[in-house]
């Protein structure tokens, strides 16, 4: 699936930058172009992969090039004063090759979280392609021990409400869920690890539709339409991901351990590998924790050497996901990797009706 990747605000620009870097290292490219929009010049200058001419500083009068430090009022004023310029900056990066626009944003801040809803609304009005959000939930409790509500929690709740309404779908990543014990999301090294975890999953999902379309080595190749149809449920979305290293059997032509060639794959072994990996992807740690039975649509993508992509096992995995979620709209496909030694599973779950962290942040916003 071909994307124009847009970063808005400090956290959003860092994620967008990592996605562009991840794309450059993959054989399956999914990024057509990219753009970064921020009120902090230092953060823009620290980006490594988004080209300089695609980095745009806005709100100079309101933020003086130093960011808004989580102040949504200042951030909104900056976005309002340069709304046309922001839309034009993204427009320059959207080509006819793009299947969708992916807008990355930190939900607790004051810049991206206030600029993106208006920007996404304008992009959806202008373009016939979907505009997806990729939002980062902060590692903060919606309510502290003394009953007070942190500013970051209120900001996040308001941003969630706005972006759910103005994007075609909102993929979420919960920093708190992925933090190690004693880690802080403000630590640069920890932040880099979190961003790497997120971009690995997002890149795997969107690159899945950009592989070989040789039907001789795949029963059902995933393409952009499968991802779009799944995200078409709208609302909140989450990604599950799991991998399992396999040992590819070999046989000797003369039974002497020489001139080895690829051996036959036992069906039971392939079925078990796909079954185990699919359950780890869905029941393991998702990008944000959800109530699985509230899922409206799902997409299950299995990758690995073609001889391991057992038709029965892949079909059974889809049927299992339908039972696990109660959804009747479960899509699936193969991502053949002839030279690989890993079975991978990507699970995209969309139209989520119940997400505990989202409920908590909405409540925080309601408390004012």
């Amino acid at each position: 699936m071909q994307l124009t990747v847009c970063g808005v605000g400090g956290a959003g620009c860092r994620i967008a930058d990592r996605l562009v870097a991840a794309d450059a290292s993959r054989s399956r490219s999914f990024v057509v172009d990219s753009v970064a929009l921020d009120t902090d010049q230092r953060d823009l200058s620290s980006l490594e992969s988004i080209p300089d001419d695609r980095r745009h500083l806005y709100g100079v009068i309101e933020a003086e090039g130093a960011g808004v430090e989580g102040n949504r009022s200042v951030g909104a004023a900056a976005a309002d004063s340069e709304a046309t310029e922001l839309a034009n900056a993204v427009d320059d990066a959207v080509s006819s090759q793009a299947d969708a626009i992916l807008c990355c944003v930190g939900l607790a801040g004051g810049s991206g979280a206030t600029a993106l809803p208006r920007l996404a609304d304008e992009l959806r009005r202008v373009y016939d392609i979907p505009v997806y959000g990729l939002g980062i939930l902060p590692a903060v409790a919606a309510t502290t021990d003394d009953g007070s509500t942190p500013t970051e929690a209120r900001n996040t709740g308001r941003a969630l409400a706005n972006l759910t309404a103005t994007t075609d779908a909102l993929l979420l990543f919960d920093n708190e869920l992925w933090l190690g014990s004693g880690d802080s999301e403000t630590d640069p090294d920890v932040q880099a690890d979190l961003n790497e975890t997120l971009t690995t999953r997002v890149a795997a999902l969107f690159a899945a539709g950009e592989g070989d379309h040789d039907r001789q080595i795949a029963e059902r190749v995933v393409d952009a339409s499968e991802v779009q149809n799944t995200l078409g449920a709208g609302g909140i979305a989450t990604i599950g991901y799991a991998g399992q290293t396999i040992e590819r059997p070999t046989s000797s032509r003369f039974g002497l351990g020489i001139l080895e060639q690829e051996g036959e794959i036992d069906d039971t072994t392939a079925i078990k590998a796909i079954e185990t990996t699919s359950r780890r992807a869905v029941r393991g740690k998702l990008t944000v924790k959800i109530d699985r039975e509230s899922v409206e649509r799902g997409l299950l993508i299995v990758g690995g050497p073609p001889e391991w992509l057992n038709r029965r096992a892949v079909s059974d995995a889809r049927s299992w996901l339908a039972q696990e979620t109660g959804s009747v709209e479960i899509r699936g496909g193969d991502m053949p990797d002839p030279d690989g030694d890993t079975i991978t599973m990507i699970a995209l779950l969309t139209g989520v009706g119940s997400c505990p962290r989202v409920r908590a942040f909405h409540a925080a916003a309601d408390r004012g």
Side-chain angles (χ1 to χ4, degrees):
M1 186 173 188
Q2 294 292 289
L3 300 176
T4 291
V5 175
C6 175
V8 191
C13 288
R14 286 190 292 273
I15 293 296
D17 199 58
R18 285 298 309 141
L19 283 172
V20 175
D23 179 72
S25 67
R26 301 180 71 93
S27 59
R28 297 180 173 102
S29 176
F30 62 95
V31 176
V32 176
D33 208 338
S34 59
V35 60
L37 314 170
D38 199 3
T39 57
D40 192 317
Q41 182 60 61
R42 289 171 301 178
D43 285 350
L44 281 174
S45 298
S46 69
L47 302 179
E48 298 178 352
S49 299
I50 296 176
D52 288 342
D53 63 352
R54 288 286 191 252
R55 306 178 194 181
H56 299 271
L57 180 70
Y58 72 94
V60 175
I61 295 175
E62 294 81 4
E64 299 180 348
V68 302
E69 296 184 351
N71 190 317
R72 283 179 59 87
S73 296
V74 178
D80 288 343
S81 68
E82 298 190 38
T84 301
E85 289 78 2
L86 292 176
N88 288 341
V90 179
D91 183 69
D92 289 341
V94 179
S95 73
S96 59
Q97 295 176 297
D99 297 310
I101 303 169
L102 180 67
C103 298
C104 311
V105 65
L107 298 174
S111 293
T114 53
L116 184 50
R118 177 168 181 169
L119 178 61
D121 201 35
E122 176 65 12
L123 293 174
R124 292 174 75 192
R125 186 186 68 81
V126 172
Y127 294 102
D128 292 329
I129 58 176
V131 177
Y132 303 131
L134 175 57
I136 314 302
L137 298 174
V140 61
T143 305
T144 61
D145 293 339
D146 62 5
S148 61
T149 302
T151 299
E152 294 90 341
R154 288 195 298 271
N155 285 357
T156 301
R158 290 164 184 160
L160 282 167
N162 291 335
L163 284 172
T164 303
T166 56
T167 58
D168 289 287
L170 181 60
L171 280 161
L172 291 180
F173 183 86
D174 186 1
N175 278 353
E176 181 177 72
L177 182 65
W178 288 88
L179 275 181
S181 177
D183 286 342
S184 169
E185 66 179 340
T186 59
D187 183 306
D189 291 336
V190 172
Q191 191 178 85
D193 288 342
L194 291 171
N195 290 350
E196 183 65 24
T197 298
L198 170 58
T199 54
T200 296
R201 284 150 180 76
V202 173
L205 170 65
F206 288 112
E210 296 304 319
D212 296 328
H213 288 261
D214 184 350
R215 302 276 170 174
Q216 295 179 353
I217 63 172
E219 292 296 333
R220 182 185 178 91
V221 177
V222 177
D223 59 24
S225 66
E226 298 285 359
V227 180
Q228 285 184 338
N229 287 334
T230 305
L231 288 169
I236 300 300
T238 187
I239 301 173
Y241 180 88
Q244 178 177 324
T245 302
I246 56 175
E247 292 186 11
R248 304 179 68 164
T250 58
S251 60
S252 169
R253 289 177 57 188
F254 302 107
L256 301 174
I258 59 176
L259 298 179
E260 289 187 338
Q261 58 188 11
E262 196 74 34
E264 293 293 327
I265 302 300
D266 178 71
D267 283 349
T268 302
T269 301
I271 291 170
K272 184 63 176 178
I274 291 176
E275 177 184 291
T276 301
T277 310
S278 62
R279 280 153 178 74
R280 286 177 51 219
V282 175
R283 290 180 174 173
K285 196 182 296 185
L286 304 172
T287 54
V288 64
K289 186 177 180 179
I290 63 167
D291 297 325
R292 289 193 297 273
E293 64 275 11
S294 72
V295 169
E296 185 175 331
R297 298 182 190 177
L299 173 64
L300 199 60
I301 305 169
V302 57
E307 65 272 15
W308 283 77
L309 304 183
N310 182 279
R311 181 189 302 182
R312 173 187 162 191
V314 173
S315 177
D316 286 350
R318 289 177 61 190
S319 298
W320 170 80
L321 182 57
Q323 295 174 354
E324 188 79 357
T325 61
S327 171
V328 297
E329 294 191 62
I330 302 297
R331 294 171 172 82
D334 304 345
M335 189 169 59
D337 183 8
D339 300 321
D341 60 359
T342 303
I343 295 290
T344 59
M345 194 71 64
I346 306 164
L348 173 63
L349 307 176
T350 69
V352 174
S354 179
C355 175
R357 285 280 278 169
V358 170
R359 285 199 304 271
F361 285 125
H362 279 320
D366 290 340
R367 288 193 295 271

